[in-house]
Amino acid sequence: MDLSRTADVWWKNAVIYCLDVETFQDSNGDGIGDFNGLTQRIDHLAGLGVTCIWLMPFYPTPNQDDGYDITDYYNVDPRLGTLGDVAVFLRTAQDRGIRVITDLVVNHTSDQHPWFQSALSDRTAPYRDWYVWRDEIPPHGPTDLVFPDAENSNWEWHEETKQYYLHRFYRHQPDVNIGNPAVREEIRKIVGFWLQLGFSGFRIDAVPYLLETHGVDARQELEPHDWLRDLRSFVMRRCGDALLLGEVNLPYQQVRRFYGDEGGGELNMCLDFNMNQALALALVREDAGALVHCLRAMPELHPDDGWAHFARNHDEWSLDKLTEAERQEVFRAFGPKEDMQLFGRGLRRRIPAMLKGNQDHIRLVYTLIFALPGAPVMFYGEEIGMAENLDIPGRMSVRSPMQWTDGPNGGFSEAKMASRAVVTGKWGPKAVNVAAQEHQPDSLLNWTERLIRRRRETPEIAFGSWSFIPFPDAGIFALRYEWEDRTVLLLHNLRGKPCSSECRPEGIEAWGTLKCIFGDGSFETARNGALCITLPAHGAMWLRVQKKKTVGAE
């Protein structure tokens, strides 16, 4: 068994932790998180077992879209610190064995960016062609709205120059023209700059919108995937083991294109929105069917590429791939009130509140995420069971400050809060915080640390081949992973009551003993060759197979 491969393609077996510098830790008392504060908290992440930190945007911004409206790709928002502070943070993370990736948001800029300000001045301005302009709205251009609550068109009229400009997101975020070679060259420079500073890769925001050219400009002579392949080649030349993680919320077969052909060559990983939505349906129904169906539809990837699985991300829990009936089924269970829903397609809640604080149910969710074929991604605060704050508008409800202690502002800041409020009530810092859970052996925090350690010690999940274990009970989600001479069985009970079941897995006659490596339950191999298991309500049990020694083997 070649364990060296687990380091060569580190992203496949990574545990990724997404955070917003602005909401993690304030070090100077201004009510805003910063890089110095993040550096002070690095040992929390190292102790948890995180191997890769994903930073949400930290660039200069008017902050009309939580930093995704950028005015300078080569600097740090002054509220969060300086380039020097970033360098110190990267050095400290490296010392703790943690890689760092950051958001690459180049499908649009802020309308305050100097490029766009130049483009507004005149039709012949130097940066005019860095954006997409039309005399009339094209009949075959994009029509779907990302934010239907705020926009009614993808095109905005500019009175001074008498043209429309394209914006797939907010009107204050004009789309860049990826068909312009100068834009593509600038993106390479941006990527090269942050790699040189010490980042290990990028989570690329809204990749389909970045590459979309169909119906926008017939003059563009660009095959978008050729450009993505070229960007990957550039990244590999600058940093051979850098990661390109894509946000691609499309059906599986369309997502597969963003990895490249069968030989790979484009993105290394994609966030798995299809599996995330199947998870919601499976949890509501207490039935593994949605997960099984999704896994069967999952396309095969190049051996060095992988999926990134998550329970909850920094946006709404999008349910756009479900049917309307399925979506309403999830809404009724997890977000029955209108203010818990967003855009008619998603939920703006965190897992613990949706599951009414049921610890067994919450832990099952994360065990499932860590058991899926790919790398798990956690959103900050999930390790302690933070809930959303519905008083914060829109998708920002899940981005409240991190809860470190039971003190004022949850230990996040000594200031009167400048913006987002800390969660109050049963989910507030008095009840949910890091300091208290560190001293509770059975806390969610300490349980998560054990889950992460066990996942890192089970590379079969990242590198092995998977198959279903055919238990007849629809409430059991059971996967088997084979990697060279290693076999693990990952068993999960989605039902809110204990279950017992049995089946005869292929090759069981060659098994010796079974060892429980994580979770609770009981198991035995019957004389008839059946594997018999009992799992508690919302329980999980991971087993490692010890193969029988052949006669004469040393």
Side-chain angles (χ1 to χ4, degrees):
M1 181 178 61
D2 184 11
L3 279 175
S4 66
R5 186 161 174 262
T6 64
D8 292 339
V9 283
W10 59 268
W11 51 83
K12 287 179 66 73
N13 202 41
V15 176
I16 302 171
Y17 187 99
C18 174
L19 65 88
D20 186 351
V21 177
E22 185 176 346
T23 57
F24 206 62
Q25 180 67 67
D26 170 22
S27 72
N28 59 7
D30 64 357
I32 300 170
D34 47 52
F35 274 99
N36 285 334
L38 174 56
T39 301
Q40 292 170 16
R41 293 295 188 180
I42 195 71
D43 286 324
H44 167 73
L45 302 177
L48 192 60
V50 169
T51 65
C52 178
I53 296 172
W54 155 18
L55 297 181
M56 292 168 64
F58 54 80
Y59 315 100
T61 172
N63 217 27
Q64 293 179 275
D65 185 23
D66 201 27
Y68 284 87
D69 47 328
I70 296 169
T71 58
D72 183 355
Y73 288 101
Y74 297 98
N75 218 322
V76 181
D77 191 308
R79 300 172 307 136
L80 310 183
T82 66
L83 281 172
D85 296 330
V86 174
V88 170
F89 161 67
L90 290 171
R91 176 70 175 178
T92 308
Q94 181 185 46
D95 176 70
R96 304 308 197 270
I98 301 175
R99 291 177 170 88
V100 184
I101 65 174
T102 186
D103 265 336
L104 181 66
V105 188
V106 289
N107 53 298
H108 57 244
T109 70
S110 165
D111 61 2
Q112 301 303 306
H113 195 292
W115 301 341
F116 193 66
Q117 289 297 300
S118 167
L120 291 176
S121 63
D122 189 272
R123 286 198 183 195
T124 61
Y127 289 96
R128 184 74 174 185
D129 253 2
W130 286 45
Y131 297 89
V132 181
W133 299 89
R134 296 293 174 272
D135 292 330
E136 297 179 353
I137 296 176
H140 302 296
T143 57
D144 57 311
L145 300 173
V146 177
F147 300 120
D149 63 326
E151 303 292 346
N152 55 25
S153 174
N154 292 127
W155 298 90
E156 183 71 9
W157 177 252
H158 183 238
E159 181 62 30
E160 285 75 7
T161 56
K162 307 297 183 184
Q163 280 190 313
Y164 294 92
Y165 66 83
L166 177 67
H167 62 90
R168 297 304 306 271
F169 291 77
Y170 294 111
R171 69 189 66 187
H172 60 76
Q173 293 170 322
D175 278 26
V176 300
N177 178 11
I178 194 66
N180 186 335
V183 170
R184 302 198 296 272
E185 178 60 28
E186 189 68 26
I187 292 173
R188 282 192 289 268
K189 289 179 182 178
I190 294 166
V191 166
F193 176 82
W194 294 107
L195 289 176
Q196 192 69 30
L197 197 63
F199 282 88
S200 294
F202 304 88
R203 174 265 191 186
I204 306 180
D205 186 60
V207 185
Y209 295 133
L210 174 62
L211 298 192
E212 182 181 84
T213 59
H214 177 69
V216 173
D217 188 351
R219 296 174 299 168
Q220 292 180 355
E221 297 179 359
L222 168 71
E223 210 313 297
H225 288 274
D226 286 346
W227 174 77
L228 189 57
R229 190 174 294 109
D230 179 70
L231 182 65
R232 168 79 175 271
S233 297
F234 171 81
V235 168
M236 296 297 287
R237 291 195 299 272
R238 290 294 180 93
C239 181
D241 65 348
L243 167 65
L244 292 181
L245 168 63
E247 181 190 29
V248 186
N249 184 9
L250 294 171
Y252 268 139
Q253 292 307 316
Q254 294 180 48
V255 176
R256 180 65 183 82
R257 293 188 60 211
F258 290 84
Y259 286 95
D261 55 26
E262 293 181 0
E266 294 185 34
L267 298 175
N268 306 93
M269 300 187 81
C270 286
L271 292 159
D272 195 344
F273 288 88
N274 291 278
M275 188 65 70
N276 181 247
Q277 299 186 40
L279 172 68
L281 200 58
L283 292 173
V284 168
R285 294 178 172 177
E286 297 191 344
D287 187 308
L291 292 171
V292 170
H293 176 77
C294 196
L295 272 170
R296 284 177 172 157
M298 179 185 285
E300 187 174 349
L301 303 178
H302 183 275
D304 290 346
D305 296 336
W307 297 98
H309 297 293
F310 58 98
R312 201 60 187 83
N313 66 2
H314 59 288
D315 291 330
E316 75 276 9
W317 190 342
S318 179
L319 305 171
D320 63 302
K321 301 292 181 295
L322 302 183
T323 67
E324 182 60 29
E326 292 170 338
R327 187 159 44 249
Q328 292 303 322
E329 190 176 349
V330 176
F331 281 167
R332 285 193 296 272
F334 291 161
K337 297 181 180 179
E338 188 174 344
D339 72 337
M340 297 174 176
Q341 304 167 15
L342 199 61
F343 309 138
R345 65 174 185 240
L347 291 161
R348 60 189 204 98
R349 309 190 71 196
R350 281 182 178 247
I351 297 294
M354 284 190 284
L355 299 183
K356 300 178 173 61
N358 183 315
Q359 283 293 307
D360 291 336
H361 210 176
I362 293 167
R363 296 179 190 204
L364 172 66
V365 170
Y366 293 104
T367 310
L368 285 167
I369 293 300
F370 277 66
L372 292 168
V377 181
M378 298 190 69
F379 188 44
Y380 76 93
E382 286 190 300
E383 70 271 30
I384 58 172
M386 278 178 55
E388 73 284 351
N389 185 347
L390 294 175
D391 291 335
I392 306 174
R395 56 174 59 187
M396 300 283 284
S397 61
V398 300
R399 305 183 196 177
S400 57
M402 182 66 177
Q403 297 170 193
W404 297 104
T405 71
D406 63 0
N409 297 325
F412 163 75
S413 175
E414 296 178 356
K416 290 185 178 180
M417 295 302 295
S419 54
R420 301 168 203 173
V422 176
V423 177
T424 58
K426 65 177 291 189
W427 301 107
K430 294 290 184 184
V432 180
N433 67 77
V434 172
Q437 292 194 24
E438 285 179 334
H439 300 290
Q440 300 167 357
D442 294 329
S443 68
L444 182 60
L445 174 61
N446 284 308
W447 177 87
T448 302
E449 182 182 335
R450 293 192 295 273
L451 173 64
I452 291 175
R453 183 172 65 250
R454 190 61 67 224
R455 172 61 182 77
R456 290 283 292 168
E457 294 171 351
T458 314
E460 296 93 332
I461 300 173
F463 295 95
S465 59
W466 62 269
S467 59
F468 296 113
I469 306 174
F471 286 102
D473 190 329
I476 296 177
F477 180 64
L479 291 175
R480 170 178 178 169
Y481 288 93
E482 304 272 358
W483 187 40
E484 298 184 358
D485 60 342
R486 298 163 64 129
T487 302
V488 291
L489 315 175
L490 311 185
L491 317 172
H492 312 84
N493 176 19
L494 275 64
R495 298 194 193 281
K497 59 183 180 181
C499 73
S500 297
S501 190
E502 66 177 58
C503 71
R504 185 180 174 84
E506 182 180 351
I508 191 173
E509 60 277 357
W511 295 358
T513 59
L514 295 174
K515 177 183 178 182
C516 181
I517 59 175
F518 188 77
D520 297 302
S522 61
F523 59 91
E524 66 174 345
T525 303
R527 289 185 177 181
N528 64 359
L531 173 63
C532 306
I533 64 164
T534 298
L535 295 171
H538 296 138
M541 182 170 56
W542 291 7
L543 306 175
R544 187 178 297 283
V545 175
Q546 309 289 334
K547 300 288 181 66
K548 289 180 180 179
K549 290 186 177 181
T550 57
V551 176
E554 297 184 358

